[in-house]
């Protein structure tokens, strides 16, 4: 039950730290990832696979997109991510060396289920990442890694999303370990960072009050854009989906590098743009590039809300609002940056007087096409 919270969604957002912690629990030994569930895939599958294909819908698909960046980096294996309904109707090419990973909170999404069945028929190995014990998709898969977010009641997925990213990171780390792509010391460092996420997430939840204030002044906003790069890009997509489904307003997520290829034409005075800013400590030049994107849209009158790391002063002169997240290395930022967006979606819907848990026209589990 709601246990004193105004909505299931509010309760479930507050459980995001726990969802990550419980998904890691018991799966780290001697500082390294150990997922015994993967043995059910068969001998040598992890070392012998030459491609990972992630299939999912909606928010679970965005978790898959985040996973692509991490698995490719850590395990040095090519990863594709596909929407299940696009995948299943075009006779995709699979081989016994393809590991097909489905991600589904409910484990009952019809398109994802049918995609898994197709993959099995084609001889691919199938792994389900699922939040619901004994659901259909895990039963139809060779192996399952459960996320332990606990039951998610609100239609908008929140704690399941961070748990899905956690599970796919565990998979990426284990693949990196067994394939020799990750040195044990590097793997241990990444595992330790993942284990530190729940505490950092708890700190992010403190920004809730400020976001509620922002949502109030934005209650009449007609359109909100979200920009991100690298793992921040799927976070931008997730932020936009939450606004569509909860607040019924037009929202789009873009890869910041795409701005000049079209979306910048949308920027007019007063347009609200959330920007997920990569860490300035990241050795890549992405921070500088995103700050320059912010300058470009601000020069055209955008109202910029930056989600940036604590201590990142470079964004200050250019942003109208800055929401701070704790320091984390690049792969762990999406887990932190998404929480303010989950809160924002909920608060904007609440400010508009809408039903946060039961948005119109939507079902929690899409068991039909
Ligand atoms: O149960 P699933 O994870 O398979 O559901 C997938 C999508 O239907 C789901 O994530 C949907 O997009 C959410 N309402 C988003 O908040």
């Amino acid at each position: 039950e709601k246990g004193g919270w105004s909505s299931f969604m509010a309760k479930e957002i507050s459980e995001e730290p726990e969802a990550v912690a419980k998904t890691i629990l018991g799966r780290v030994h001697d500082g390294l990832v150990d997922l015994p569930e993967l043995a059910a895939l068969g001998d040598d599958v992890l070392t012998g696979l030459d491609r990972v294909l992630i299939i999912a819908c909606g928010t679970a698909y965005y978790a898959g997109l985040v996973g692509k960046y991490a698995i490719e980096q850590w395990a040095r294996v090519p990863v594709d991510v596909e929407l299940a309904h696009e995948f299943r109707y075009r006779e995709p090419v699979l081989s016994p060396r393809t590991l097909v990973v489905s991600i589904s909170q409910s484990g009952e999404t019809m398109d994802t289920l049918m995609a898994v069945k197709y993959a099995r028929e084609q001889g691919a190995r199938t792994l389900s990442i699922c939040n619901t014990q004994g659901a259909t998709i895990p039963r139809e898969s060779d192996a399952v890694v459960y996320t332990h977010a606990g039951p998610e009641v609100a239609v908008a997925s929140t704690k399941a999303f961070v748990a899905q990213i956690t599970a796919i990171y565990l998979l990426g780390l284990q693949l990196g370990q067994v394939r020799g792509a990750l040195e044990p010391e590097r793997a241990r460092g990444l595992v330790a960072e993942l284990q530190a996420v729940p505490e950092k997430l708890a700190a992010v939840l403190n920004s809730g009050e400020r976001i509620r204030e922002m949502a109030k002044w934005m209650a009449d906003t007609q359109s909100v854009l979200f920009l991100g790069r690298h793992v921040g890009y799927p976070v931008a997509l997730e932020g936009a989906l939450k606004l569509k489904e909860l607040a019924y307003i037009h929202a789009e997520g873009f890869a910041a590098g795409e701005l000049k290829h079209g979306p910048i034409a949308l920027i007019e005075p007063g347009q609200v743009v959330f920007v997920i800013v990569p860490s300035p400590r990241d050795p890549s030049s992405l921070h500088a590039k995103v700050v320059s994107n912010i300058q470009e849209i601000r020069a055209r009158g955008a109202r910029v809300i930056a989600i940036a790391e604590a201590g990142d002063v470079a964004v200050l002169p250019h942003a109208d609002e800055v929401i701070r997240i704790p320091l984390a290395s690049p792969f762990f930022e999406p887990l932190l940056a998404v929480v303010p967006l989950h809160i924002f979606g909920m608060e904007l819907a609440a400010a508009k007087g809408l039903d946060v848990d039961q948005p119109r026209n939507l079902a929690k589990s899409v068991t039909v096409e």
Side-chain angles (χ1 to χ4, degrees), residues 17-347:
E18 202 182 323
V20 172
K22 286 190 170 162
T23 300
I24 303 170
L25 196 71
R27 289 167 165 169
V28 173
H29 296 292
D30 189 22
L32 294 173
V33 173
D34 179 14
L35 290 168
E37 300 93 324
L38 300 180
L41 289 171
D43 290 343
D44 303 330
V45 169
L46 299 188
T47 45
L49 61 88
D50 63 8
R51 178 182 176 218
V52 173
L53 174 63
I54 301 173
I55 45 180
C57 301
T59 283
Y61 169 73
Y62 302 145
L65 287 179
V66 174
K68 172 185 167 81
Y69 291 87
I71 298 174
E72 286 196 341
Q73 182 69 41
W74 297 338
R76 306 307 298 158
V77 57
V79 182
D80 296 302
V81 192
E82 286 226 37
L83 291 164
H85 33 88
E86 286 296 318
F87 170 83
R88 59 181 281 223
Y89 287 109
R90 62 172 173 73
E91 296 183 36
V93 183
L94 298 173
S95 88
R97 295 182 67 191
T98 308
L99 175 64
V100 172
V101 181
S102 64
I103 308 180
S104 175
Q105 188 287 129
S106 63
E108 302 295 345
T109 299
M110 177 61 83
D111 282 314
T112 308
L113 171 63
M114 297 313 281
V116 169
K117 284 189 173 171
Y118 174 86
R120 282 192 81 173
E121 283 160 20
Q122 298 297 307
R125 293 306 163 117
T126 54
L127 170 67
S128 154
I129 292 181
C130 183
N131 196 46
T132 311
Q133 295 281 333
T136 311
I137 295 172
R139 279 193 278 116
E140 290 289 334
S141 303
D142 296 312
V144 52
V145 172
Y146 281 108
T147 47
H148 295 299
E152 194 178 61
V153 177
V155 165
S157 189
T158 54
K159 62 177 181 172
F161 178 70
V162 290
Q164 285 160 350
I165 294 176
T166 304
I168 201 111
Y169 278 12
L170 291 171
L171 172 67
L173 290 167
Q174 176 137 357
L175 276 176
Q177 290 164 196
V178 301
R179 295 169 68 88
L182 267 184
E183 295 295 323
E185 271 329 288
R186 168 114 173 91
R188 282 199 175 85
L190 291 164
V191 168
E193 285 219 52
L194 185 59
Q195 289 174 314
V197 165
E199 206 179 315
K200 295 179 184 181
L201 271 177
V204 181
L205 289 172
N206 294 332
S207 54
E209 196 46 47
R210 175 114 175 281
I211 295 170
R212 185 195 313 252
E213 290 307 315
M214 279 167 38
K216 276 188 196 148
W217 66 251
M218 274 194 252
D220 296 327
T221 302
Q222 297 298 309
S223 155
V224 178
L225 304 181
F226 294 81
L227 293 182
R229 275 192 95 116
H230 192 255
V231 282
Y233 169 45
V235 174
L237 297 174
E238 164 70 356
L241 178 62
K242 286 296 173 283
L243 281 199
K244 288 174 203 164
E245 71 176 329
L246 292 162
Y248 317 152
I249 65 172
H250 170 252
E252 289 298 330
F254 297 111
E258 272 294 289
L259 264 183
K260 288 192 180 67
H261 302 283
I264 199 164
L266 288 169
I267 306 295
E268 52 186 35
Q271 171 69 53
V272 175
V273 186
F274 278 77
V275 184
I276 295 114
V277 184
S279 166
R281 299 171 300 116
D282 181 15
S284 76
S285 55
L286 291 184
H287 176 266
K289 287 187 198 301
V290 170
V291 170
S292 125
N293 289 144
I294 294 178
Q295 287 170 296
E296 284 159 354
I297 56 172
R298 197 102 177 299
R300 289 161 179 80
R303 178 154 196 158
V304 173
I305 303 168
I307 300 180
E309 187 175 275
D312 177 356
V313 288
V315 294
L316 285 175
H318 311 298
D320 297 275
E321 299 268 354
V322 182
I323 298 167
R324 294 295 182 184
I325 56 173
L327 269 58
S329 61
F331 284 109
F332 302 96
E333 283 168 25
L335 288 161
L336 306 176
V338 78
V339 175
L341 301 185
H342 284 164
I343 298 175
F344 182 70
M346 174 180 71
E347 293 295 354

Side-chain angles (χ1 to χ4, degrees), residues 8 12 151-156 159 357-358 364:
F8 279 106
E12 288 161 7
E152 194 178 61
V153 177
V155 165
K159 62 177 181 172
D357 287 335
Q358 280 293 340
K364 178 65 181 162

